């Protein structure tokens, strides 16, 4: 047997720059380098033998030094689709240095063939398979594929992540996880394929232990529950929130929380109240479309049979502000959808909206249907996901039902409308008036209060030096919040800070979409072959 000691270099791949979520400009205002810390890798680190030495390098916050590669016996990496190019670059560099590399994570699990150059593939939830990998490595194996059955892992066995490996000051927030899986069945979503439709939850004690460690390590501020639908198991959540409230009260409110949840949260006043009392301040909701036929077609019926405007406003009145996702390009769209989508965003008063184009992710019901219909387009495998930022800058990787140009024109119209300074800041002002912050508290040490003050001055200076509508709308918003709901000011300023990224980013995407429209008008739009046509050519060739 080989030595039980091993030096492991964990490398978190760089996100593609063209992503809605890669808001570097907003991070800079807060003195951070990247939005979120790499929770997946530090969870894997906790599954490795205690005798193994571990270093973590996040390529979103620093470069990979030759010294670190020289030190390592083994490199571990992996991430999501917008990190695919970065992950492949890490594999290539490891091969040049003859360092064995292990790749895992959701993208490798969905498309293992893309990562065939890696020495090891760890596919699925790590808790089930890391022991097998460690045993194989210690027995001398230097290649292999380790795979677990998806959606079956007992998350009560998941270890406390190695938060000690993080440099907290580099991030806007740190993540923890309460549950995996989602009970719904959205056609385009890969979460149910990766983690199943039966949400599995950690014990209350597990999550509080993670928070206790973060607290002991000196972290304070924003903690994100990374669950894909925190309310997927309402019964378990309702049992957890009172314990969380007691813990955070005893600790004098060192953290405030964000998460993702489905819109039916608005139907449960008691649950919203419990989340607010436990210091949750914002949620991300996938609204996708205001059209009921489209929602039914995509199997997102939980968003129908309700007033989206009233549902969102109920969440505001419970003290939680809403960020939301919207998608264009569904088969069920009947003519232009831009006007209705813009009206929905304005009526609900959601400032931060991720508006994107439908993308058929690997191993989803949507992808399987498009394959059966011969409509899924095949990218160039020599450069997988090279241009992929996220659904804002890439999408429609299939033959669309209505004309592609019409979808792109709608997309451009929505972005132009909702991210015009007047429209964005008007929505922020309305949220600022509705948001009930009675239960909100966050106590920071003096050193962090000074950092927060510096961040606020950076934001004031940045927006005060902008020209035209942005500066005027900012001051209108600040005065309005101070006049009508001073307690909401920290959250109004959060939304305003995001515009430092979203304003320029929306203009960048609008320019890219306009170029695609121009290319279509001039007959230059690249036609990626649909799978069925390729098969037919192969069969007759």
């Amino acid at each position: 047997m080989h030595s039980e000691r091993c030096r492991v270099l964990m490398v978190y791949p760089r996100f593609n720059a063209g992503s809605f979520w890669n808001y570097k400009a907003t991070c800079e205002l807060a003195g951070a380098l990247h939005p979120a810390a790499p929770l997946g890798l530090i969870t894997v680190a906790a599954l490795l033998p205690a005798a193994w030495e571990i270093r973590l390098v996040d390529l979103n916050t620093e470069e990979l030094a030759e010294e670190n590669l020289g030190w390592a016996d083994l490199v571990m990496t992996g991430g999501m689709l917008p990190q695919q190019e970065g992950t492949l670059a890490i594999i290539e560099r490891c091969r040049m240095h003859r360092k064995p590399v292990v790749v895992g994570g959701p993208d490798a699990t969905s498309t293992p063939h893309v990562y065939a150059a890696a020495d090891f593939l760890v596919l699925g939830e790590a808790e089930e398979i890391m022991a097998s990998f460690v045993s194989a490595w210690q027995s001398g194996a230097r290649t292999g594929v380790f795979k677990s059955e998806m959606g079956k892992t007992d998350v009560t066995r998941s270890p406390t992540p190695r938060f000690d490996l993080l440099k907290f000051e580099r991030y806007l927030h740190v993540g923890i996880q309460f549950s995996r899986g989602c009970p719904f069945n959205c056609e385009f979503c890969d979460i149910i394929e990766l983690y199943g439709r039966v949400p599995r939850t950690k014990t209350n004690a597990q999550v509080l232990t993670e928070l206790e460690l973060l607290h002991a390590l000196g972290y304070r501020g924003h903690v994100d529950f990374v669950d894909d639908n925190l309310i997927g198991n309402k019964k378990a959540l309702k049992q957890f929130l009172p314990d969380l409230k007691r813990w955070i009260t005893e600790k004098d409110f060192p953290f405030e929380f964000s998460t993702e949840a489905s819109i039916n949260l608005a139907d449960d006043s008691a649950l919203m109240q419990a989340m607010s009392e436990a210091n949750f301040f914002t949620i991300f909701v996938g609204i996708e479309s205001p059209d009921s036929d489209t929602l039914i077609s995509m199997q997102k019926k939980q968003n129908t049979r309700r007033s989206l405007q009233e549902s969102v406003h109920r969440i505001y009145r419970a003290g939680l502000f809403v960020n939301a996702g919207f998608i264009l390009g569904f088969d069920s769209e009947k003519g232009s959808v831009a006007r209705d989508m813009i009206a929905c965003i304005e009526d609900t008063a959601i400032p931060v909206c991720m508006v994107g184009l439908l993308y058929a992710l690997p191993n989803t019901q949507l992808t399987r249907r498009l394959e059966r219909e011969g409509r899924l387009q095949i990218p160039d495998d020599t450069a997988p996901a090279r241009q992929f930022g996220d659904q804002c800058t890439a999408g429609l990787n299939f033959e669309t039902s209505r004309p592609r140009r019409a979808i792109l024109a709608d997309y451009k119209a929505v972005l132009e409308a909702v991210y015009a300074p007047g429209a964005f800041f008007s929505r922020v002002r309305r949220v600022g008036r509705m948001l009930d912050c009675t239960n909100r508290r966050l106590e920071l040490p003096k050193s962090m209060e000074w950092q927060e003050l510096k961040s606020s001055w950076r934001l004031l200076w940045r927006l005060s030096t902008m020209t035209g509508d942005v500066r005027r709308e900012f001051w209108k918003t600040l005065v309005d919040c101070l006049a009508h709901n001073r307690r909401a000011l920290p959250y109004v300023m959060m939304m305003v800070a995001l515009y430092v990224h979203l304003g320029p980013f929306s203009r960048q995407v609008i320019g890219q979409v306009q170029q695609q429209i121009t290319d279509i008008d001039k007959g230059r739009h690249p036609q990626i072959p649909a799978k069925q046509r390729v098969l037919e050519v192969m069969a007759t060739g």
Side-chain angles (χ1 to χ4, degrees):
M1 179 177 289
H2 286 230
S3 170
E4 291 187 0
R5 298 185 66 84
C6 182
R7 290 176 296 191
V8 179
L9 179 64
M10 296 197 146
V11 184
Y12 194 51
R14 186 174 286 111
F15 277 85
N16 285 357
S19 172
F20 178 93
W21 300 111
N22 199 7
Y23 38 93
K24 294 285 189 183
T26 300
C27 292
E28 290 169 4
L29 293 174
L33 297 174
H34 191 67
L39 180 61
L41 277 182
I42 62 173
T43 301
V44 172
L47 291 163
L48 298 177
W52 287 20
E53 297 178 59
I54 300 172
R55 291 183 185 178
L56 173 66
V57 174
D58 182 351
L59 295 183
N60 299 283
T61 67
E62 62 182 306
E63 297 299 322
L64 178 54
E66 290 292 320
E67 184 271 332
N68 278 323
L69 271 175
W71 168 86
D73 298 317
L74 178 66
V75 176
M76 290 186 170
T77 188
M80 298 181 288
L81 180 57
Q83 295 171 282
Q84 188 180 107
E85 183 178 358
T87 306
L88 293 173
I90 294 166
I91 295 171
E92 184 176 349
R93 190 167 173 189
C94 288
R95 291 180 69 84
M96 288 174 59
H97 286 76
R98 297 186 178 182
K99 295 291 181 179
V101 60
V102 185
V103 176
D107 194 47
T109 299
S110 296
T111 55
H113 66 279
V114 172
Y115 300 97
D119 299 284
F120 296 94
L121 290 176
V122 176
L123 310 177
E125 296 174 90
E127 292 90 345
E128 294 293 319
I129 42 182
M130 286 310 297
S132 298
F133 164 75
V134 169
S135 177
W137 173 265
Q138 291 182 331
S139 297
R142 291 301 176 261
T143 61
V145 177
F146 302 85
K147 189 172 183 179
S148 68
E149 186 178 359
M150 296 308 301
K152 302 296 184 182
T153 295
D154 179 4
V155 296
T156 64
R157 296 166 48 205
S158 189
T160 299
R162 288 284 308 275
F163 294 118
D164 59 293
L165 294 172
L166 300 176
K167 297 178 175 68
F168 294 132
E169 69 278 3
R170 296 184 175 184
Y171 302 101
L172 286 183
H173 53 79
V174 173
I176 63 172
Q177 186 177 58
F178 175 65
S179 67
R180 290 183 202 160
C182 178
F184 298 115
N185 194 33
C186 304
E187 185 191 38
F188 60 87
C189 183
D190 63 346
I191 296 304
I192 55 176
E193 308 291 338
L194 289 167
Y195 304 119
R197 291 187 59 197
V198 179
R200 296 156 287 138
T201 63
K202 294 179 179 179
T203 66
N204 295 3
Q206 268 180 289
V207 181
L208 295 181
T209 296
E210 294 180 20
L211 292 173
E212 192 72 51
L213 178 57
L214 276 174
H215 186 269
L217 290 169
Y219 182 74
R220 301 293 184 273
H222 182 179
V223 174
D224 181 45
F225 278 79
V226 303
D227 307 44
D228 293 291
N229 187 354
L230 185 70
I231 69 169
N233 186 332
K234 282 189 179 183
K235 181 180 178 181
L237 181 62
K238 288 181 176 181
Q239 292 171 347
F240 168 63
L241 288 173
D243 285 353
L244 178 60
K245 178 185 175 182
R246 280 192 292 273
W247 184 89
I248 201 166
T249 302
E250 290 170 1
K251 296 295 183 182
D252 201 20
F253 297 88
F255 306 136
E256 56 184 358
F257 305 112
S258 60
T259 194
E260 183 170 347
S262 44
I263 192 67
N264 57 315
L265 171 64
D267 303 334
D268 195 328
S269 298
L271 182 54
M272 288 191 291
Q273 180 72 14
M275 289 178 65
S276 180
E277 291 177 353
N279 234 27
F280 280 84
F281 71 94
T282 185
I283 63 169
F284 181 88
V285 174
I287 291 179
E288 322 310 357
S289 173
D291 179 63
S292 293
D293 290 342
T294 295
L295 291 169
I296 291 169
S297 174
M298 73 175 79
Q299 299 171 192
K300 194 150 191 165
K301 296 180 181 179
Q302 67 270 24
N303 284 21
T304 63
R305 299 184 295 274
R306 68 174 61 248
S307 163
L308 289 171
Q309 177 182 359
E310 180 53 35
S311 294
V312 171
H313 290 182
R314 279 201 296 270
I315 296 172
Y316 287 155
R317 290 192 293 269
L320 307 165
F321 74 80
V322 175
N323 305 316
F326 292 84
I327 301 175
L328 297 90
F330 291 100
D331 287 355
S332 55
E333 293 172 356
K334 302 178 182 70
S336 177
V337 299
R339 185 175 62 181
D340 288 346
M341 188 169 287
I342 293 165
C344 177
I345 292 169
E346 290 299 325
D347 291 344
T348 54
I350 301 174
V352 180
C353 300
M354 181 183 181
V355 185
L357 297 166
L358 183 61
Y359 187 89
L361 293 165
N363 299 326
T364 58
Q365 297 173 75
L366 173 63
T367 294
R368 291 191 288 271
R369 175 172 66 80
L370 292 171
E371 280 187 317
R372 290 194 303 270
E373 296 170 0
R375 297 169 55 199
L376 189 67
Q377 294 179 335
I378 303 175
D380 178 2
D381 280 340
T382 64
R386 294 286 177 176
Q387 303 301 319
F388 193 90
D390 53 30
Q391 287 89 334
C392 289
T393 51
L396 305 183
N397 58 334
F398 57 93
E399 292 185 348
T400 58
S401 181
R402 68 185 179 109
R404 182 178 294 261
R405 189 194 190 284
I407 298 171
L408 293 172
D410 273 353
Y411 183 33
K412 178 171 175 279
V414 173
L415 291 177
E416 288 174 335
V418 302
Y419 283 115
F424 179 87
F425 284 93
S426 173
R427 296 196 301 276
V428 173
R429 289 193 289 273
R430 282 181 281 153
V431 175
R433 292 191 181 200
M434 283 187 277
L435 204 59
D436 183 353
C437 298
T438 305
N439 297 313
R440 195 71 59 248
R441 282 185 63 187
L442 179 64
E443 300 294 334
L444 298 174
K446 292 296 182 184
S447 59
M448 289 192 68
E449 286 182 359
W450 175 241
Q451 178 63 36
E452 288 291 305
L453 184 60
K454 288 195 293 184
S455 298
S456 298
W457 277 113
R458 286 191 202 103
L459 178 60
L460 286 169
W461 174 257
R462 180 71 175 270
L463 289 166
S464 296
T465 56
M466 287 185 171
T467 57
D469 291 346
V470 174
R471 179 172 57 191
R472 181 171 58 253
E473 291 291 338
F474 164 66
W475 285 109
K476 281 174 60 178
T477 301
L478 183 60
V479 170
D480 190 87
C481 185
L482 290 172
H484 295 283
N485 188 4
R486 287 174 178 245
R487 295 189 66 130
L489 184 61
Y491 308 103
V492 165
M493 294 295 276
M494 282 184 193
M495 291 179 263
V496 166
L498 283 169
Y499 193 76
V500 175
H501 161 67
L502 294 172
F505 178 73
S506 63
R507 292 192 292 274
Q508 171 193 324
V509 175
I510 288 166
Q512 292 174 354
V513 172
Q514 180 56 58
Q515 184 59 56
Q516 292 182 52
I517 292 171
T518 300
D519 288 344
I520 290 173
D521 289 343
K522 294 184 176 181
R524 295 199 304 252
H525 179 69
Q527 294 297 317
I528 303 174
K531 184 170 184 179
Q532 184 60 40
R533 291 202 302 273
V534 172
L535 294 175
E536 289 171 356
V537 169
M538 292 173 63
T540 58

